[in-house]
Amino acid sequence: MNKLTIAIIAAIVLMALIIILYKTRKRERSKNMIMIFFLSLAIELITTPLRAMDFSICSVVTFALYFVFMIIVLHKYRNSLRPAIILLVALMGCSVLRLPLHILEFESSLVSLPDTLFHLFGILMGFLYYISKKHFKIIIAALSTFSCLFLHFKGYDMWIHKLSYGTYTGKIDTYPASNLKFTNEAGDSISLADMGGKYVVMDFWYSQCGVCFSEMPKTQTLYDQLKKDTDIVFYSINAKVDSDTEQYAFTHLKQLGYSLPVLRVNIKDSLLTKMGIVGYPTVLILDPNGNIVFRGGIESAEKYISEKVK
């Protein structure tokens, strides 16, 4: 379903909510509810451009705005509206545009799901802060601060890692690697079984992946750190597409100034999927027994190696 259809559905839902609010028995009460609804919606619209900069920044800023917003409206309308009604209307204003998107385009909108939930969380925490007693206010304020810091510095990266690699940190339940076969520059065949007895670090990439090449300097740095370690072998694995020449991977990386040991495998090899490689770049780490113990990005791989291998 395209974005225009989603926008039309959201507009219809919005109009229906306005009508429901306006037809409440007490006109003054309905006006206050409509005001809260549109102010909540306005916060959502005003902070939307921040998402283009950084989802975590948008989440934290909007959380803070909704937190303060709830304290203000709960105090302002304390004599005309019940707190639960104010909470419900604020949640409606916050979610009226986002909720249809997540329902109708769930898979494609997963990247922004924590952002949406964190906005709603800001409303809820502001509500709880206002209605709680002093000691609980301190707890709620501390929890809110911790949540914002965690999301910004760690949480969102973990969520993106989960979407990209199926694991929040790269650490996975150990499972045997398939006996995938590679080709080296000389045209010789090398299998994973030939690499037994050592930790094996493999960075999978393909020629049309811009992110792969932007991450390549980090890969080179990690290789430089590990190349003298006799217990670890490191390979840059090119997943060959049909348009690549047989020697593309080997010559191209040299031309770019990299000294990574390169192997090649066909990107259509079904064993890649069985090993959990569904996107690029992906780093796999095998233990000396040939079991896959890590799947993720190069930065997480570096951290895993420093903690678990060295």
Side-chain angles (χ1 to χ4, degrees):
M1 190 171 294
N2 58 40
K3 292 182 179 180
L4 177 60
T5 304
I6 295 173
I8 292 173
I9 293 174
I12 293 173
V13 173
L14 177 61
M15 291 181 65
L17 290 173
I18 293 173
I19 292 172
I20 292 172
L21 291 174
Y22 192 75
K23 286 190 173 182
T24 54
R25 294 181 179 180
K26 295 182 179 180
R27 183 61 58 85
E28 186 63 30
R29 183 185 179 193
S30 68
K31 288 181 178 179
N32 292 341
M33 293 170 67
I34 291 173
M35 177 63 70
I36 295 170
F37 176 86
F38 277 107
L39 287 174
S40 180
L41 175 60
I43 293 175
E44 188 68 30
L45 294 174
I46 290 170
T47 57
T48 295
L50 292 175
R51 300 174 70 195
M53 298 170 52
D54 188 303
F55 272 117
S56 65
I57 292 176
C58 178
S59 299
V60 171
V61 170
T62 310
F63 176 95
L65 289 174
Y66 273 125
F67 189 96
V68 175
F69 165 75
M70 285 303 295
I71 295 173
I72 292 173
V73 295
L74 283 165
H75 180 74
K76 180 177 177 61
Y77 299 110
R78 64 189 184 280
N79 295 324
S80 59
L81 294 171
R82 288 183 294 171
I85 295 296
I86 294 175
L87 173 64
L88 178 61
V89 174
L91 290 172
M92 288 164 57
C94 174
S95 60
V96 66
L97 296 180
R98 292 282 197 95
L99 192 58
L101 175 64
H102 287 298
I103 293 174
L104 300 173
E105 300 286 345
F106 182 73
E107 291 294 332
S108 61
S109 65
L110 277 175
V111 67
S112 64
L113 183 59
D115 182 49
T116 298
L117 295 177
F118 215 65
H119 295 185
L120 299 174
F121 186 51
I123 291 175
L124 178 62
M125 295 304 282
F127 171 79
L128 292 176
Y129 181 87
Y130 181 81
I131 66 172
S132 298
K133 295 181 179 180
K134 183 177 180 180
H135 295 300
F136 285 105
K137 287 182 188 294
I138 296 173
I139 295 174
I140 292 169
L143 179 60
S144 297
T145 301
F146 172 78
S147 299
C148 288
L149 292 173
F150 175 77
L151 184 75
H152 179 62
F153 290 106
K154 191 73 174 178
Y156 228 107
D157 288 339
M158 293 176 64
W159 176 248
I160 297 301
H161 204 280
K162 173 67 174 177
L163 294 181
S164 300
Y165 308 110
T167 167
Y168 289 106
T169 63
K171 300 175 184 177
I172 56 177
D173 292 332
T174 299
Y175 65 97
S178 303
N179 193 23
L180 190 64
K181 293 184 178 181
F182 310 95
T183 303
N184 63 16
E185 188 172 6
D188 300 325
S189 179
I190 299 175
S191 69
L192 288 178
D194 299 328
M195 306 176 188
K198 297 182 178 182
Y199 279 96
V200 182
V201 182
M202 297 180 290
D203 175 48
F204 290 81
W205 60 277
Y206 75 103
S207 60
Q208 299 169 15
C209 172
V211 177
C212 297
F213 286 102
S214 67
E215 294 285 302
M216 202 72 73
K218 299 177 184 177
T219 306
Q220 179 69 57
T221 299
L222 181 58
Y223 168 68
D224 290 339
Q225 294 172 358
L226 301 177
K227 62 184 179 182
K228 293 183 180 180
D229 193 323
T230 57
D231 294 324
I232 303 174
V233 293
F234 192 109
Y235 289 105
S236 175
I237 311 293
N238 169 240
K240 182 182 178 299
V241 298
D242 293 338
S243 59
D244 292 345
T245 63
E246 295 298 317
Q247 292 296 310
Y248 167 82
F250 308 105
T251 58
H252 190 61
L253 290 196
K254 289 179 181 177
Q255 291 171 356
L256 293 175
Y258 297 113
S259 60
L260 297 164
V262 180
L263 297 176
R264 188 185 71 235
V265 66
N266 194 308
I267 198 171
K268 296 178 182 179
D269 195 314
S270 61
L271 292 181
L272 290 174
T273 303
K274 291 182 179 180
M275 293 170 65
I277 302 172
V278 295
Y280 297 87
T282 295
V283 177
L284 292 185
I285 299 178
L286 280 61
D287 67 12
N289 296 317
N291 296 314
I292 298 176
V293 294
F294 174 92
R295 182 177 62 247
I298 190 66
E299 293 181 350
S300 298
E302 182 177 6
K303 182 178 180 181
Y304 179 88
I305 292 169
S306 66
E307 294 178 352
K308 301 295 183 179
V309 179
K310 288 189 174 183

